Amino acid sequence: MLFTRRKFISLTSNGIVLPLMGPIHPFTSSESHGEIALTEEAIRLHREALVLDGHNDMPGNILDKGLNSIPGFSLNKAQPQLQTDIPRLRKGGVDAQVWVAYVAPEHMRTGGGMQAAIEQIELIHQLVNTHSDQLELATTSQAITDIARRSKIAALIGVEGGHAIENSLKNLEQYFDLGTRYMTLTHNESTDWADSSTDSPRHGGLSRFGEKVIRSMNEMGMLVDLSHSSDDTVRDAIRVSKAPVIASHSSVKAICPSKRNLSDELIKGIAGTGGMVMVNFFPLFLHPDGAGLNQAYIDQTRELSSKNLSPEQFRAEMDNWQKQLPPMPQCYVGHLVDHIDHMIKLVGADHVGLGSDYDGITYGPVQMPDVSGFPYVTQDLMNRGYSTGDIKKILGKSFLRVLSEAEA
Ligand SMILES: [Zn+2]
């Protein structure tokens, strides 16, 4: 999940409203990238591989839009209000999907964070039960493989925003018992025990309690997810964690200098734990011109949040503001695969995967507007000459390895 969910009105924890970033690049089309053609060969390899996506925000989106209370709601039908449904997951060749329970940072002030997370986790369980011919819950790496072999889609659960535990290790345990297998330490705001990449530091990384959270997650076999964490939090987590750590939806800072992306040093650090980075598909995290625009969004959200507007006013002001923006950068599959390529060269395919962030992003790369687009990644990797073995690692095998190591 990218920005503050709109139904919440928030004030940043530090109360600071940052000024908008300097000049934003106008529309840029890339000379080196464009649309690509899918070949039979790539489709065959993609079908043969186990394809796992590490981050999808559909549960919160369903609840926000009230879709589950519409009579006859089914993921077996096309859901144009979402970027995800079963027909498109099938078209995208997705064998395993991590769905997240996203907890807005506002809950640190208003309370109800745990309730919001549990509501989404229950929705995931409910969706798995009502689509049991298509979906099955997976809580182990072995289960993912077994479910995929039965031609069903394995559903995994992640929690986004460490404030979801409301500063209690007992609550953390409850999430594990409900099937959660990773948790991001923060979202866009620093928590009582971990600093966020898009907020002012409160602890210089992890607090002592934050270190305890990491150790508890290690003991349970819940993956520590460092997407959204500040650089110091990432360093602290790498130092403290005895199990591999992941970034479930983060891209490369050396290509797109967004605060949300990871530096080469941190990518190497994460790989050094045996963990992995799963690339985010959001064009503002991928295209070199996206970082300034993304920062402007975060700043604008914060500024409006400080104004005490109603949700309707908030949305109207946000829509108005967006009209003055230059067009979003045109981002192609090649821009996305540039990030994968960079990371493979840096740390090897064992430490790289996919974490699309669909249903948490406002748009995706050209040809990849939703979960049906995953085969294009396979195609571009093939076009660049990557081996079948490396492509299969990126598509899912690396995550299976990391999860099984965390289980051990
Ligand atoms: Zn996120």
Side-chain angles (χ1 to χ4, degrees):
M1 179 60 62
L2 271 172
F3 306 117
T4 316
R5 200 175 289 287
R6 287 183 192 154
K7 71 179 177 184
F8 298 104
I9 300 299
S10 79
L11 185 72
T12 62
S13 56
N14 51 32
I16 292 170
V17 177
L18 300 166
L20 290 183
M21 292 283 279
I24 292 163
H25 284 271
F27 173 81
T28 349
S29 66
S30 169
E31 310 78 40
S32 53
H33 293 309
E35 293 195 19
I36 60 171
L38 271 184
T39 62
E40 291 285 330
E41 206 187 352
I43 293 168
R44 204 176 315 121
L45 167 54
H46 192 82
R47 298 281 156 201
E48 193 186 292
L50 188 141
V51 178
L52 179 143
D53 176 46
H55 198 96
N56 180 299
D57 275 295
M58 181 189 72
N61 230 349
I62 288 177
L63 292 174
D64 276 3
K65 292 176 173 144
L67 298 178
N68 58 326
S69 43
I70 297 171
F73 170 75
S74 167
L75 287 177
N76 286 322
K77 296 182 198 161
Q79 294 295 336
Q81 292 197 65
L82 300 172
Q83 292 169 336
T84 312
D85 52 40
I86 289 171
R88 283 180 289 174
L89 283 167
R90 291 299 190 188
K91 192 177 172 205
V94 178
D95 298 297
Q97 178 66 69
V98 184
W99 273 299
V100 297
Y102 162 73
V103 181
E106 284 71 22
H107 286 294
M108 283 188 269
R109 293 174 289 279
T110 61
M114 181 134 188
Q115 197 191 322
I118 302 259
E119 197 185 349
Q120 292 170 71
I121 291 171
E122 282 175 352
L123 175 64
I124 298 167
H125 283 281
Q126 192 192 321
L127 289 170
V128 166
N129 290 336
T130 51
H131 301 78
S132 57
D133 55 330
Q134 299 286 335
L135 305 177
E136 197 172 327
L137 191 74
T139 54
T140 63
S141 55
Q142 186 59 48
I144 297 171
T145 312
D146 294 343
I147 293 165
R149 207 167 282 146
R150 289 197 286 275
S151 300
K152 288 199 212 176
I153 298 166
L156 287 94
I157 301 171
V159 166
E160 178 157 32
H163 44 284
I165 65 169
E166 297 181 343
N167 300 336
S168 150
L169 297 178
K170 271 240 155 346
N171 291 343
L172 179 64
E173 238 167 79
Q174 198 183 327
Y175 286 121
F176 184 86
D177 293 342
L178 287 168
T180 303
R181 288 300 175 266
Y182 78 56
M183 181 176 80
T184 74
L185 303 185
T186 75
H187 186 247
N188 283 344
E189 292 180 28
S190 299
T191 71
D192 291 339
W193 46 270
D195 288 340
S196 163
S197 60
T198 45
D199 195 3
S200 308
R202 290 173 58 187
H203 320 282
L206 286 172
S207 72
R208 292 291 289 276
F209 179 73
E211 294 184 356
K212 264 193 192 168
V213 173
I214 303 284
R215 281 191 284 270
S216 294
M217 291 173 83
N218 287 166
E219 275 161 32
M220 285 175 213
M222 190 191 289
L223 287 165
V224 175
D225 182 353
L226 299 173
S227 285
H228 290 285
S229 283
S230 76
D231 289 6
D232 282 335
T233 303
V234 174
R235 287 187 197 103
D236 282 351
I238 288 169
R239 174 176 51 80
V240 174
S241 182
K242 289 195 168 65
V245 295
I246 65 165
S248 70
H249 58 308
S250 292
S251 303
V252 174
K253 200 174 252 172
I255 299 174
C256 171
S258 164
K259 287 182 188 170
R260 262 285 278 113
N261 285 345
L262 292 164
S263 68
D264 286 0
E265 173 222 327
L266 297 182
I267 294 167
K268 281 188 205 162
I270 290 169
T273 68
M276 69 187 298
V277 177
M278 308 173 90
V279 69
N280 190 309
F281 292 9
F282 186 45
L284 298 192
F285 295 149
L286 296 174
H287 196 285
D289 295 339
L293 260 174
N294 185 52
Q295 189 59 44
Y297 260 100
I298 292 175
D299 296 342
Q300 177 66 7
T301 306
R302 283 192 178 163
E303 188 177 324
L304 291 183
S305 299
S306 68
K307 284 184 175 169
N308 219 9
L309 303 171
S310 73
E312 292 72 28
Q313 287 170 320
F314 183 91
R315 198 168 303 128
E317 290 235 6
M318 199 71 190
D319 288 347
N320 233 350
W321 174 79
Q322 283 185 61
K323 281 183 197 138
Q324 320 155 25
L325 289 180
M328 296 288 157
Q330 186 92 323
C331 178
Y332 292 99
V333 179
H335 289 103
L336 191 165
V337 178
D338 282 349
H339 288 249
I340 297 174
D341 196 41
H342 180 93
M343 289 199 277
I344 297 175
K345 283 173 180 144
L346 196 66
V347 293
D350 285 316
H351 305 283
V352 186
L354 310 175
S356 68
D357 211 2
Y358 281 124
D359 271 311
I361 60 180
T362 44
Y363 74 114
V366 176
Q367 299 184 292
M368 301 182 64
D370 53 43
V371 295
S372 68
F374 288 98
Y376 286 99
V377 175
T378 301
Q379 182 70 58
D380 198 315
L381 286 167
M382 278 181 86
N383 294 351
R384 294 182 195 223
Y386 276 104
S387 69
T388 302
D390 275 354
I391 294 171
K392 286 186 174 175
K393 284 178 182 174
I394 306 298
L395 292 177
K397 268 178 105 175
S398 293
F399 185 85
L400 291 181
R401 176 193 59 79
V402 170
L403 183 59
S404 72
E405 282 176 26
E407 287 161 3

